[in-house]
Amino acid sequence: MKFVFSLLFILISFAGFGQKLTLNGKVTTGGQPLAYATLQLKTADSTILSYTNSNTNGLFVLEANLGGAKFIYLIASYIGLKTDTLKLESSTFNGNVISHNFELLDDPKQLEQINIKAEKPTVAIHNDTTSFNVAKLTTAEDKNIESVIRKMPGMSVSKDGTITYNQQKITKVLLEGDDMTGENYKTITQNLKPQLVEQVQAIENYIEDDLLNGIISSDEVVLNLKLKNNKSILGSADLAVGINKRNDVSANVVSLYKRIKAFSYISNNNTGKYQEDLLSLNSKTAYNNSNGKLINHAIGDTNPFDNNNFRLNNTLSGSLSAVSHANKNLKLTFGAYAIRNKLSDERSNTQIFLGPEPITTEDRETRSSNDKNYQIELGVQQRIGRASRLSSAISYTFKPSTYASLDTSFFNAETENLVNQSQEDKVKSFKGEISYVQKANASTAFVATMTTLNQKIEQSYGSISDLYSQIPLFNGAKNLLQNASNTLNTVTVDAQLLKKSGYNYFYLNGGGNIKQTQTFTNLYRVDNFNQTLLGEDFQNDVVTDSRLLYLAAKYTFDNKIIKVQGLLRGNIKHISVYEQDSTYFYVQPELNITAKLSDYQQLSLNYKIQNTSTDDFDYYKNSLVTDVRNINTGLDRIYYFNSHIIRAYYNNRSFSDKYFSFQLSGNASYSASGFLTANYFDNTLFYTQLDFYKGIKKLGGNAVFQKFIPVISTDFTLNFGRSKTNYYASISNKINNYTNFNNAFDFKLSTGFKFPLNFSGQFQYIKDATYLADNRINNNIVRKYSAASRIKFCGGLTQLVSFDLYQLNKTNYHILNSELIYQPKNTRLKYSIIGKNLFDVKTLVNNYVSNVVKSTSSASLLGRYVMFNLSLAIGQ
């Protein structure tokens, strides 16, 4: 620790030498603001003192220490425009702030060189922006920009569409510099055609609010999609029909009309598209991500088949996102989203509870669900003068859903029981936010924010079976009805004071929130439509009040070579539940050190203590029926985590010359306080309860090698990851220590897109093992062998064939897909014939361990189908 403070002192002292200068202004072209223009401040010997990019309004702020430089040069540049330079002599400065505006003119010679003499590179790095040439990475089978992003060096896309860049999660995808969808960016990336996009830009150190540009040191990474042209209407339409009543119809439109920018899409398919992640081979540990629901029935069975879609579904979805710059000071945003997702399947599930004497349950189910999601968002940003902005946003979400199943259930291989289940949920939430930004001067700003959230969750779960009549707890009932209701109200106020001096950034943050939750449950027996309460043992009426106050101070030193960031946050939390009050204080320190070893290499170290209270909805004492044989009991005590997290990260991404990327990361966490999942059996019912207990330990790492050869457009990728997790669970009053190991290896080789014949190959290996003490109780192994070819014939004809062999625990699954694509020249039409799962895989068997339960499940899949597809481009 003494070394760290000494390092901070040396860095701060070093930053104090030389004259400090702030330059600001605006970059325009043709009288219009120019976003992402490059601004560089150089000395006479071309030493770069500082650099930045103009924001979406063309504004820039640039700060530097001049040292002993007599002359300095401020250079503004943009591809296709003439570079402009401002020469400054330090002896003539009358102050530390200089303002200058640039008007960049067209440069026909540069455009001619770019278009005729020089070929645009696949990847180009310029300061904090890495630009990817979409045309160089697009192939005939790419139907959306997401599939192209998957091929970009440094990018990865999860099955649910979440994008990461150099292991940092992308929070926004901008369209021509505007954020239109926030974290709903999948509506754009999964629907926008790559033929409409010229570049995908990864912008690091992104600052959304131009008033704060130059005052804060940002770690945010966003993507910006630059379109090929600025026509008023761009888009596409697709129509596909096939055997087995398969269909896939979609259309999307980008509208650029004066000061209004809009994106909309509509889609209907029953080919399994855009479902949630269907397989995670990681064992479920004691960490639970709450959605506020107490009863969770969903068709989320899993398959490992990567980008292939196999879920039996019927999905209708659409959205409209728009942004309007009404004038230079007023910005309006609008978003509307609607999804209806019908799912169905047939499945069997066998569970073995790993107690002193194994307990076995088996269920064979025919299931269906209908989930809907409606969301609307409105936002307003009003610039007040030159130095302040007022922003507000509201959103409303309504999620109704239904679930039904007809089951045959067994307990320890005893007589079967027929079970009829049904569930109906209604989730309503309203969120409002108002924010005020005041820029005092070029180096000081104040930000105040207030948010409010109201959420109401109503659930009704019915289960009919003879097995309940055998249990005295239910007084001979055969028809049970469980009602549950959760209400959440919270208000949060936050204030920030921001200050910059040279390379030093200071941040003071304080605030608090007030939160109240109410949990209400009742269990009824139903006889001839008459409902009778089953007693206080199944009744909960709990109000939880919590108040949190926090104060945080953060210091950052950032000279573009070394970045040191220290954060200390103190929290006081008070919880009142079950007429018991608890108040506790905890701190959250964090230290980050990042060194830029070269233009392409970076080393980062991070340490923090993370404290997380349990979800307030978990505070309920009495029993809650959640499944055929399952009864849960909530927490009856207050606790919090105290996790120590360490992460190391090395990145080499020399795209611009060698096209080589190497990433190495390690992470570890230790929580002294966690919880224990306790499990009990009474007759044929299964009870779970969370109890305060020892913590959770995690250790993991990941290495990624990627080599891209631009001449032949060939890509090699090697990815290796390993993790270890220790957690606790119990059954029959015995506490057990579980250890989960996960190893993953992935090698990919793909040739480029320039040759008549291209191919790709992949080998993937995943091993997920769980140990109870020293005994292995689960060993889930997946191997994937994949080969694909792409043949370009004359006349715009392309043939695609892919074969995947999956080995899941010694069971083989063969997947064969084929597509014949015809795209005539000088036309906006494209035709294709698609054959999916031609070997007709219809079921999947999977093994996993969840706490003390070893489970084997079999789920039905989509099966074989062949479709004819017609695609039409609009405005290209």
Side-chain angles (χ1 to χ4, degrees):
M1 186 60 70
K2 290 183 178 179
F3 169 76
V4 174
F5 283 113
S6 300
L7 178 61
L8 289 172
F9 178 77
I10 293 171
L11 294 174
I12 296 170
S13 301
F14 175 77
F17 292 104
Q19 183 180 358
K20 296 177 182 178
L21 180 67
T22 299
L23 301 102
N24 58 40
K26 187 174 185 178
V27 184
T28 58
T29 181
Q32 297 297 318
L34 182 61
Y36 307 113
T38 300
L39 287 302
Q40 293 181 317
L41 190 64
K42 294 184 176 182
T43 62
D45 61 357
S46 297
T47 300
I48 298 178
L49 299 175
S50 185
Y51 62 86
T52 189
N53 293 93
S54 59
N55 64 16
T56 54
N57 296 318
L59 302 175
F60 69 90
V61 177
L62 210 159
E63 292 189 352
N65 279 334
L66 303 185
K70 182 178 179 181
F71 293 98
I72 58 173
Y73 301 86
L74 179 61
I75 303 169
S77 60
Y78 193 85
I79 295 176
L81 302 177
K82 291 183 178 180
T83 299
D84 196 1
T85 303
L86 174 66
K87 181 179 179 181
L88 300 168
E89 185 175 357
S90 59
S91 62
T92 62
F93 295 163
N94 296 321
N96 292 331
V97 179
I98 295 177
S99 297
H100 181 77
N101 297 329
F102 290 98
E103 172 70 19
L104 301 186
L105 305 176
D106 290 335
D107 188 356
K109 292 183 179 180
Q110 186 184 146
L111 289 173
E112 182 181 355
Q113 290 176 350
I114 292 175
N115 294 330
I116 299 176
K117 297 181 180 180
E119 186 179 6
K120 293 181 181 179
T122 304
V123 186
I125 298 178
H126 199 73
N127 298 334
D128 290 335
T129 301
T130 303
S131 300
F132 299 90
N133 188 338
V134 173
K136 287 268 185 99
L137 297 167
T138 301
T139 53
E141 71 270 24
D142 291 319
K143 296 179 173 58
N144 55 39
I145 192 64
E146 179 187 275
S147 64
V148 182
I149 291 175
R150 291 178 184 272
K151 307 174 189 177
M152 296 177 177
M155 297 281 191
S156 63
V157 183
S158 67
K159 289 184 181 180
D160 69 353
T162 301
I163 304 172
T164 57
Y165 176 65
N166 289 333
Q167 297 192 346
Q168 278 192 272
K169 182 181 176 181
I170 299 296
T171 57
K172 298 181 180 69
V173 174
L174 313 180
L175 190 62
E176 287 287 344
D178 279 312
D179 178 20
M180 302 174 62
T181 57
E183 292 194 359
N184 290 321
Y185 60 73
K186 293 172 237 181
T187 58
I188 291 181
T189 56
Q190 293 182 345
N191 291 281
L192 186 63
K193 294 289 185 181
Q195 290 77 15
L196 303 178
V197 183
E198 180 180 13
Q199 283 186 346
V200 173
Q201 298 176 326
I203 305 172
E204 300 176 85
N205 306 314
Y206 175 75
I207 300 174
E208 182 177 11
D209 195 327
D210 61 283
L211 291 177
L212 303 179
N213 195 18
I215 299 178
I216 62 175
S217 176
S218 172
D219 297 319
E220 186 175 8
V221 181
V222 302
L223 298 186
N224 179 51
L225 308 182
K226 292 187 66 65
L227 301 179
K228 284 187 176 179
N229 57 56
N230 292 322
K231 292 183 179 180
S232 58
I233 297 291
L234 299 168
S236 62
D238 288 82
L239 172 63
V241 293
I243 65 173
N244 297 327
K245 299 181 180 180
R246 300 290 168 227
N247 67 81
D248 188 355
V249 181
S250 64
N252 64 85
V253 175
V254 179
S255 174
L256 306 172
Y257 179 73
K258 294 184 178 179
R259 295 176 177 175
I260 300 177
K261 186 181 302 177
F263 174 82
S264 60
Y265 89 94
I266 187 169
S267 173
N268 174 240
N269 78 87
N270 59 5
T271 59
K273 281 189 176 181
Y274 309 135
Q275 305 309 306
E276 290 188 1
D277 223 353
L278 295 183
L279 174 66
S280 174
L281 284 174
N282 292 321
S283 296
K284 310 294 188 300
T285 65
Y287 282 122
N288 292 315
N289 295 320
S290 173
N291 57 10
K293 294 182 178 181
L294 299 178
I295 309 169
N296 290 281
H297 286 94
I299 301 180
D301 285 332
T302 56
N303 75 67
F305 301 140
D306 291 352
N307 300 325
N308 301 302
N309 301 292
F310 286 85
R311 176 57 51 219
L312 295 161
N313 78 305
N314 191 321
T315 300
L316 176 64
S317 60
S319 76
L320 171 62
S321 305
V323 58
S324 171
H325 296 274
N327 54 55
K328 64 179 182 179
N329 295 322
L330 179 61
K331 178 181 176 181
L332 306 173
T333 57
F334 171 81
Y337 310 89
I339 299 172
R340 187 217 64 199
N341 193 21
K342 293 182 178 180
L343 298 174
S344 61
D345 75 355
E346 294 182 359
R347 60 160 289 177
S348 65
N349 187 38
T350 302
Q351 299 184 94
I352 301 175
F353 293 85
L354 305 168
E357 295 182 4
I359 299 170
T360 303
T361 66
E362 181 181 357
D363 296 295
R364 301 169 187 171
E365 304 173 297
T366 300
R367 309 186 302 175
S368 64
S369 66
N370 187 1
D371 300 330
K372 301 176 183 178
N373 186 351
Y374 307 102
Q375 184 173 329
I376 187 168
E377 302 172 346
L378 297 171
V380 179
Q381 290 186 6
Q382 175 66 56
R383 185 103 175 224
I384 305 172
R386 298 184 58 186
S388 59
R389 175 181 285 110
L390 185 64
S391 304
S392 63
I394 59 172
S395 65
Y396 175 75
T397 304
F398 178 47
K399 295 182 178 181
S401 61
T402 59
Y403 170 92
S405 71
L406 181 61
D407 314 338
T408 303
S409 183
F410 300 84
F411 181 83
N412 282 344
E414 293 180 0
T415 305
E416 65 184 47
N417 292 286
L418 295 179
V419 183
N420 196 332
Q421 296 183 88
S422 64
Q423 181 174 331
E424 182 176 356
D425 296 351
K426 293 181 180 178
V427 181
K428 301 177 183 179
S429 62
F430 174 85
K431 183 179 180 180
E433 179 178 293
I434 184 168
S435 177
Y436 176 75
V437 179
Q438 176 66 52
K439 186 174 184 179
N441 51 53
S443 61
T444 308
F446 171 77
V447 181
T449 305
M450 184 177 74
T451 60
T452 179
L453 173 65
N454 173 265
Q455 187 179 55
K456 180 74 172 179
I457 303 171
E458 297 283 353
Q459 296 188 276
S460 176
Y461 167 61
S463 184
I464 304 174
S465 177
D466 287 338
L467 70 88
Y468 300 125
S469 62
Q470 308 166 20
I471 302 171
L473 191 65
F474 298 131
N475 297 326
K478 295 182 179 181
N479 188 345
L480 300 178
L481 176 63
Q482 176 75 76
N483 287 338
S485 175
N486 280 335
T487 303
L488 167 66
N489 291 288
T490 181
V491 176
T492 303
V493 177
D494 182 90
Q496 305 172 35
L497 180 62
L498 309 168
K499 176 70 177 179
K500 182 186 177 185
S501 177
Y503 297 132
N504 307 293
Y505 300 82
F506 301 92
Y507 168 93
L508 185 65
N509 174 224
N513 67 54
I514 300 174
K515 180 165 62 173
Q516 183 184 78
T517 61
Q518 182 174 13
T519 298
F520 179 80
T521 73
N522 262 328
L523 182 67
Y524 299 88
R525 63 174 294 170
V526 181
D527 298 295
N528 298 322
F529 303 101
N530 295 319
Q531 298 180 6
T532 306
L533 284 172
L534 276 177
E536 296 182 355
D537 290 339
F538 294 96
Q539 190 171 15
N540 288 284
D541 190 358
V542 185
V543 176
T544 303
D545 288 301
S546 66
R547 289 169 173 78
L548 174 68
L549 292 176
Y550 57 87
L551 181 64
K554 181 169 70 174
Y555 165 74
T556 302
F557 170 82
D558 186 5
N559 66 353
K560 303 297 182 181
I561 298 176
I562 295 178
K563 183 174 182 178
V564 181
Q565 187 177 82
L567 170 67
L568 182 64
R569 171 170 164 148
N571 305 269
I572 299 177
K573 185 165 186 177
H574 174 83
I575 296 181
S576 176
V577 59
Y578 296 128
E579 299 180 352
Q580 299 179 12
D581 292 340
S582 177
T583 302
Y584 52 91
F585 171 77
Y586 58 96
V587 295
Q588 293 173 275
E590 184 174 349
L591 178 64
N592 301 280
I593 301 176
T594 301
K596 189 175 182 181
L597 306 179
S598 69
D599 288 342
Y600 310 113
Q601 298 182 78
Q602 182 173 293
L603 177 65
S604 300
L605 299 173
N606 170 264
Y607 167 77
K608 66 179 179 179
I609 295 178
Q610 180 173 303
N611 292 268
T612 308
S613 296
T614 183
D615 193 316
D616 287 357
F617 288 139
D618 285 335
Y619 290 108
Y620 60 93
K621 283 184 177 180
N622 294 327
S623 299
L624 180 75
V625 175
T626 61
D627 208 341
V628 178
R629 303 184 187 275
N630 202 350
I631 295 181
N632 286 346
T633 319
L635 297 170
D636 57 6
R637 64 188 73 199
I638 297 170
Y639 67 94
Y640 64 96
F641 294 107
N642 187 17
S643 300
H644 300 260
I645 301 172
I646 299 175
R647 181 175 182 267
Y649 174 73
Y650 170 78
N651 180 38
N652 183 322
R653 52 184 185 121
S654 50
F655 296 149
S656 62
D657 55 357
K658 300 177 182 178
Y659 292 85
F660 172 73
S661 174
F662 168 57
Q663 302 167 31
L664 180 65
S665 67
N667 59 80
S669 67
Y670 169 72
S671 170
S673 303
F675 61 80
L676 174 74
T677 304
N679 304 271
Y680 308 97
F681 277 91
D682 183 8
N683 296 323
T684 60
L685 287 179
F686 174 46
Y687 296 79
T688 63
Q689 181 172 343
L690 301 180
D691 288 331
F692 183 73
Y693 198 65
K694 295 180 181 180
I696 300 171
K697 292 181 287 187
K698 285 190 172 184
L699 180 66
N702 184 260
V704 182
F705 302 84
Q706 187 170 36
K707 176 67 175 177
F708 186 77
I709 304 175
V711 177
I712 56 177
S713 299
T714 299
D715 180 82
F716 302 86
T717 302
L718 177 64
N719 191 331
F720 174 75
R722 178 177 173 84
S723 66
K724 175 185 177 182
T725 303
N726 288 94
Y727 62 97
Y728 295 87
S730 74
I731 189 169
S732 301
N733 298 314
K734 181 181 179 181
I735 296 175
N736 297 311
N737 184 3
Y738 293 86
T739 303
N740 173 252
F741 292 94
N742 185 273
N743 296 284
F745 176 85
D746 191 4
F747 174 75
K748 296 179 183 179
L749 168 65
S750 62
T751 60
F753 325 116
K754 298 181 179 181
F755 306 109
L757 174 62
N758 298 279
F759 67 91
S760 65
Q762 180 182 10
F763 170 70
Q764 188 175 11
Y765 173 82
I766 299 175
K767 181 179 180 181
D768 189 81
T770 304
Y771 289 80
L772 172 58
D774 295 327
N775 298 319
R776 188 175 66 190
I777 58 176
N778 179 60
N779 193 32
N780 205 11
I781 297 177
V782 174
R783 293 183 179 89
K784 172 190 174 183
Y785 304 88
S786 178
S789 66
R790 180 189 304 107
I791 304 175
K792 294 182 180 179
F793 300 100
C794 298
L797 194 65
T798 303
Q799 173 70 51
L800 307 172
V801 178
S802 66
F803 171 75
D804 297 323
L805 168 61
Y806 292 88
Q807 293 180 342
L808 276 73
N809 300 309
K810 300 181 180 180
T811 301
N812 291 340
Y813 299 89
H814 302 83
I815 308 296
L816 177 65
N817 297 324
S818 180
E819 184 171 2
L820 182 65
I821 304 171
Y822 173 60
Q823 185 167 16
K825 293 183 179 180
N826 302 319
T827 180
R828 294 181 294 171
L829 290 172
K830 181 167 68 174
Y831 310 89
S832 62
I833 298 176
I834 305 169
K836 292 289 188 180
N837 187 19
L838 297 178
F839 287 143
D840 203 18
V841 175
K842 293 183 177 180
T843 59
L844 165 74
V845 177
N846 183 39
N847 298 325
Y848 62 91
V849 169
S850 176
N851 288 330
V852 298
V853 183
K854 183 176 182 179
S855 177
T856 301
S857 64
S858 173
S860 60
L861 302 177
L862 195 61
R864 176 196 300 135
Y865 64 93
V866 178
M867 302 182 69
F868 174 77
N869 182 81
L870 175 64
S871 179
L872 171 66
I874 303 172
Q876 297 181 33

